[in-house]
Amino acid sequence: MLAADPGASIAAIAAEAGVDRRTVYRRFGSREELLAAIYEARLTAIGEAIEDARLREAPVAVALHRYVENIVAVNRIWPVDLNRMLATDAVRERRNAYVAEVDAFLERATEEGLLRSGLPAGWVGVLLPEVTNLVVRQQPELSHGQAADLVVETLLQGIGAAHERES
């Protein structure tokens, strides 16, 4: 609900959840506490997605697909506005640690030849979440695995027709 309307009231959130707003306030003293809990849950899910993908030890192609599939699931479960989420230092620091871990993986993927070298520094690290977010928003009918297939294929093959002519 907050993803669709970041200004949604606690009363509206409570009604959507089927509880009284006092119930929400018993658990969360303020709107800010509720948002902090949501951000914490999203960050925890991101950390679990990274851990499950085994970015440091799994074969890079397998790790990439697993990571994207997991992040698609996180983005669908926790569709939180990242700009609002990054307003606090603690959240920003934790997210930056996850970004650094993914960037290290993307560097490994480049060194091992899965990703093309010679691209501008950080380009794939910026492109990957953008393409992943696009698939989540534009292709909601795809399963997490199918969405990951589309992201990985787009990332690795691009959208040009050159590889089709070579086949």
Side-chain angles (χ1 to χ4, degrees):
M1 190 169 183
L2 286 168
D5 178 12
S9 69
I10 294 293
I13 293 167
E16 181 71 20
V19 298
D20 186 81
R21 73 180 181 84
R22 290 175 295 194
T23 302
V24 175
Y25 277 116
R26 269 193 295 263
R27 175 77 169 93
F28 306 103
S30 67
R31 177 182 177 73
E32 289 71 31
E33 283 184 30
L34 172 61
L35 290 171
I38 291 168
Y39 299 159
E40 175 63 30
R42 179 178 168 85
L43 284 170
T44 297
I46 290 169
E48 291 169 355
I50 289 171
E51 184 178 328
D52 180 66
R54 300 180 48 231
L55 299 180
R56 294 180 186 179
E57 61 274 352
V60 292
V62 172
L64 176 61
H65 193 279
R66 182 176 285 154
Y67 168 75
V68 172
E69 187 171 351
N70 291 345
I71 293 300
V72 165
V74 168
N75 288 349
R76 286 178 172 166
I77 294 168
W78 301 104
V80 179
D81 177 6
L82 290 177
N83 292 326
R84 292 178 62 118
M85 183 175 159
L86 297 175
T88 67
D89 290 340
V91 169
R92 194 171 33 259
E93 287 173 17
R94 191 165 166 202
R95 182 177 178 273
N96 288 345
Y98 292 148
V99 168
E101 193 164 343
V102 172
D103 285 346
F105 165 72
L106 294 172
E107 187 174 313
R108 178 170 83 97
T110 301
E111 289 169 0
E112 293 187 20
L114 183 70
L115 299 173
R116 188 176 72 198
S117 62
L119 295 171
W123 180 244
V124 178
V126 170
L127 188 61
L128 179 58
E130 292 295 330
V131 174
T132 303
N133 288 331
L134 271 173
V135 165
V136 168
R137 286 191 314 271
Q138 299 295 322
Q139 303 293 322
E141 73 283 355
L142 297 179
S143 71
H144 301 329
Q146 291 169 322
D149 290 345
L150 182 56
V151 170
V152 171
E153 182 179 340
T154 300
L155 189 67
L156 298 181
Q157 303 297 322
I159 59 173
H163 71 280
E164 290 178 352
R165 289 189 295 266
E166 294 170 5
S167 299

